[in-house]
PDB file of all heavy atoms in Angstrom:
ATOM      1  N   GLU A  33       4.982   7.028  -8.855  1.00 47.00           N
ATOM      2  CA  GLU A  33       4.022   7.880  -9.735  1.00 47.00           C
ATOM      3  C   GLU A  33       4.394   9.312  -9.552  1.00 47.00           C
ATOM      4  O   GLU A  33       4.394  10.037 -10.714  1.00 47.00           O
ATOM      5  CB  GLU A  33       2.636   7.796  -9.048  1.00 47.00           C
ATOM      6  CG  GLU A  33       1.770   6.652  -9.613  1.00 47.00           C
ATOM      7  CD  GLU A  33       0.482   6.424  -8.934  1.00 47.00           C
ATOM      8  OE1 GLU A  33      -0.068   7.497  -8.279  1.00 47.00           O
ATOM      9  OE2 GLU A  33       0.002   5.307  -8.842  1.00 47.00           O
ATOM     10  N   GLN A  34       4.771   9.797  -8.449  1.00 49.00           N
ATOM     11  CA  GLN A  34       5.221  11.072  -8.365  1.00 49.00           C
ATOM     12  C   GLN A  34       6.510  11.322  -9.241  1.00 49.00           C
ATOM     13  O   GLN A  34       6.472  12.422  -9.950  1.00 49.00           O
ATOM     14  CB  GLN A  34       5.725  11.415  -6.990  1.00 49.00           C
ATOM     15  CG  GLN A  34       4.776  12.046  -6.066  1.00 49.00           C
ATOM     16  CD  GLN A  34       5.165  12.222  -4.614  1.00 49.00           C
ATOM     17  OE1 GLN A  34       6.365  11.869  -4.297  1.00 49.00           O
ATOM     18  NE2 GLN A  34       4.304  12.775  -3.837  1.00 49.00           N
ATOM     19  N   PHE A  35       7.404  10.484  -9.252  1.00 49.00           N
ATOM     20  CA  PHE A  35       8.608  10.425 -10.106  1.00 49.00           C
ATOM     21  C   PHE A  35       8.198  10.655 -11.633  1.00 49.00           C
ATOM     22  O   PHE A  35       8.611  11.547 -12.301  1.00 49.00           O
ATOM     23  CB  PHE A  35       9.333   9.258  -9.953  1.00 49.00           C
ATOM     24  CG  PHE A  35      10.696   9.302 -10.786  1.00 49.00           C
ATOM     25  CD1 PHE A  35      11.701  10.106 -10.507  1.00 49.00           C
ATOM     26  CD2 PHE A  35      10.801   8.454 -11.894  1.00 49.00           C
ATOM     27  CE1 PHE A  35      12.833  10.257 -11.356  1.00 49.00           C
ATOM     28  CE2 PHE A  35      11.900   8.424 -12.671  1.00 49.00           C
ATOM     29  CZ  PHE A  35      12.977   9.274 -12.479  1.00 49.00           C
ATOM     30  N   GLU A  36       7.074   9.808 -11.987  1.00 48.00           N
ATOM     31  CA  GLU A  36       6.707   9.776 -13.360  1.00 48.00           C
ATOM     32  C   GLU A  36       6.119  11.029 -13.820  1.00 48.00           C
ATOM     33  O   GLU A  36       6.458  11.692 -14.844  1.00 48.00           O
ATOM     34  CB  GLU A  36       5.752   8.755 -13.720  1.00 48.00           C
ATOM     35  CG  GLU A  36       5.928   8.099 -15.028  1.00 48.00           C
ATOM     36  CD  GLU A  36       5.539   6.686 -15.032  1.00 48.00           C
ATOM     37  OE1 GLU A  36       4.196   6.470 -15.055  1.00 48.00           O
ATOM     38  OE2 GLU A  36       6.393   5.833 -14.914  1.00 48.00           O
ATOM     39  N   SER A  37       5.382  11.689 -12.954  1.00 51.00           N
ATOM     40  CA  SER A  37       4.671  12.992 -13.209  1.00 51.00           C
ATOM     41  C   SER A  37       5.734  13.995 -13.355  1.00 51.00           C
ATOM     42  O   SER A  37       5.575  14.917 -14.086  1.00 51.00           O
ATOM     43  CB  SER A  37       3.436  13.259 -12.337  1.00 51.00           C
ATOM     44  OG  SER A  37       3.941  13.843 -11.144  1.00 51.00           O
ATOM     45  N   ALA A  38       6.624  13.988 -12.417  1.00 51.00           N
ATOM     46  CA  ALA A  38       7.748  14.976 -12.571  1.00 51.00           C
ATOM     47  C   ALA A  38       8.494  14.819 -13.792  1.00 51.00           C
ATOM     48  O   ALA A  38       8.813  15.861 -14.405  1.00 51.00           O
ATOM     49  CB  ALA A  38       8.742  14.757 -11.209  1.00 51.00           C
ATOM     50  N   GLN A  39       8.651  13.564 -14.222  1.00 50.00           N
ATOM     51  CA  GLN A  39       9.385  13.458 -15.553  1.00 50.00           C
ATOM     52  C   GLN A  39       8.658  13.935 -16.570  1.00 50.00           C
ATOM     53  O   GLN A  39       9.201  14.540 -17.532  1.00 50.00           O
ATOM     54  CB  GLN A  39       9.623  11.869 -15.825  1.00 50.00           C
ATOM     55  CG  GLN A  39      10.639  11.258 -15.000  1.00 50.00           C
ATOM     56  CD  GLN A  39      11.788  10.983 -15.953  1.00 50.00           C
ATOM     57  OE1 GLN A  39      11.613  10.294 -16.910  1.00 50.00           O
ATOM     58  NE2 GLN A  39      12.911  11.510 -15.708  1.00 50.00           N
ATOM     59  N   GLN A  40       7.258  13.731 -16.539  1.00 50.00           N
ATOM     60  CA  GLN A  40       6.475  14.288 -17.713  1.00 50.00           C
ATOM     61  C   GLN A  40       6.368  15.828 -17.789  1.00 50.00           C
ATOM     62  O   GLN A  40       6.651  16.527 -18.811  1.00 50.00           O
ATOM     63  CB  GLN A  40       5.097  13.794 -17.523  1.00 50.00           C
ATOM     64  CG  GLN A  40       4.775  12.531 -18.263  1.00 50.00           C
ATOM     65  CD  GLN A  40       3.581  11.813 -17.716  1.00 50.00           C
ATOM     66  OE1 GLN A  40       2.734  12.380 -16.878  1.00 50.00           O
ATOM     67  NE2 GLN A  40       3.246  10.704 -18.151  1.00 50.00           N
ATOM     68  N   GLN A  41       6.412  16.331 -16.463  1.00 49.00           N
ATOM     69  CA  GLN A  41       6.484  17.830 -16.554  1.00 49.00           C
ATOM     70  C   GLN A  41       7.884  18.242 -17.053  1.00 49.00           C
ATOM     71  O   GLN A  41       7.927  19.288 -17.807  1.00 49.00           O
ATOM     72  CB  GLN A  41       6.485  18.305 -15.026  1.00 49.00           C
ATOM     73  CG  GLN A  41       5.217  18.619 -14.555  1.00 49.00           C
ATOM     74  CD  GLN A  41       5.116  19.197 -13.181  1.00 49.00           C
ATOM     75  OE1 GLN A  41       6.160  19.329 -12.554  1.00 49.00           O
ATOM     76  NE2 GLN A  41       3.963  19.613 -12.737  1.00 49.00           N
ATOM     77  N   HIS A  42       8.867  17.535 -16.753  1.00 47.00           N
ATOM     78  CA  HIS A  42      10.277  17.818 -17.204  1.00 47.00           C
ATOM     79  C   HIS A  42      10.270  17.848 -18.700  1.00 47.00           C
ATOM     80  O   HIS A  42      10.810  18.691 -19.440  1.00 47.00           O
ATOM     81  CB  HIS A  42      11.179  16.732 -16.742  1.00 47.00           C
ATOM     82  CG  HIS A  42      12.670  17.203 -17.142  1.00 47.00           C
ATOM     83  ND1 HIS A  42      13.234  18.324 -16.543  1.00 47.00           N
ATOM     84  CD2 HIS A  42      13.554  16.456 -17.720  1.00 47.00           C
ATOM     85  CE1 HIS A  42      14.448  18.455 -17.115  1.00 47.00           C
ATOM     86  NE2 HIS A  42      14.665  17.332 -17.883  1.00 47.00           N
ATOM     87  N   ARG A  43       9.573  16.819 -19.364  1.00 46.00           N
ATOM     88  CA  ARG A  43       9.521  16.626 -20.769  1.00 46.00           C
ATOM     89  C   ARG A  43       8.888  17.865 -21.442  1.00 46.00           C
ATOM     90  O   ARG A  43       9.223  18.427 -22.412  1.00 46.00           O
ATOM     91  CB  ARG A  43       8.868  15.361 -21.174  1.00 46.00           C
ATOM     92  CG  ARG A  43       9.770  14.366 -21.936  1.00 46.00           C
ATOM     93  CD  ARG A  43       9.145  13.077 -22.158  1.00 46.00           C
ATOM     94  NE  ARG A  43       9.400  12.064 -21.147  1.00 46.00           N
ATOM     95  CZ  ARG A  43       8.640  11.211 -20.597  1.00 46.00           C
ATOM     96  NH1 ARG A  43       7.284  11.167 -21.176  1.00 46.00           N
ATOM     97  NH2 ARG A  43       9.047  10.374 -19.695  1.00 46.00           N
ATOM     98  N   ALA A  44       7.700  18.309 -20.790  1.00 56.00           N
ATOM     99  CA  ALA A  44       7.075  19.372 -21.269  1.00 56.00           C
ATOM    100  C   ALA A  44       7.823  20.643 -21.273  1.00 56.00           C
ATOM    101  O   ALA A  44       7.486  21.602 -21.925  1.00 56.00           O
ATOM    102  CB  ALA A  44       5.631  19.611 -20.435  1.00 56.00           C
ATOM    103  N   ARG A  45       8.863  20.617 -20.287  1.00 86.00           N
ATOM    104  CA  ARG A  45       9.667  21.800 -20.267  1.00 86.00           C
ATOM    105  C   ARG A  45      10.772  21.826 -21.255  1.00 86.00           C
ATOM    106  O   ARG A  45      11.693  22.597 -21.081  1.00 86.00           O
ATOM    107  CB  ARG A  45      10.112  22.013 -18.733  1.00 86.00           C
ATOM    108  CG  ARG A  45       8.972  22.472 -17.892  1.00 86.00           C
ATOM    109  CD  ARG A  45       9.592  23.013 -16.773  1.00 86.00           C
ATOM    110  NE  ARG A  45       8.614  22.993 -15.620  1.00 86.00           N
ATOM    111  CZ  ARG A  45       8.645  22.297 -14.421  1.00 86.00           C
ATOM    112  NH1 ARG A  45       9.736  21.464 -14.320  1.00 86.00           N
ATOM    113  NH2 ARG A  45       7.697  22.313 -13.679  1.00 86.00           N
ATOM    114  N   LEU A  46      10.785  20.835 -22.024  1.00 93.00           N
ATOM    115  CA  LEU A  46      11.930  20.741 -23.073  1.00 93.00           C
ATOM    116  C   LEU A  46      11.313  20.892 -24.518  1.00 93.00           C
ATOM    117  O   LEU A  46      10.213  20.399 -24.783  1.00 93.00           O
ATOM    118  CB  LEU A  46      12.611  19.407 -23.136  1.00 93.00           C
ATOM    119  CG  LEU A  46      13.629  18.938 -22.118  1.00 93.00           C
ATOM    120  CD1 LEU A  46      13.969  17.483 -22.387  1.00 93.00           C
ATOM    121  CD2 LEU A  46      14.832  19.880 -22.418  1.00 93.00           C
TER     122      LEU A  46
END
Side-chain angles (χ1 to χ4, degrees):
Chain A
E33 265 171 33
Q34 263 177 2
F35 177 71
E36 215 151 80
S37 78
Q39 279 255 304
Q40 270 160 4
Q41 267 187 357
H42 184 65
R43 245 175 264 142
R45 289 201 196 111
L46 275 178

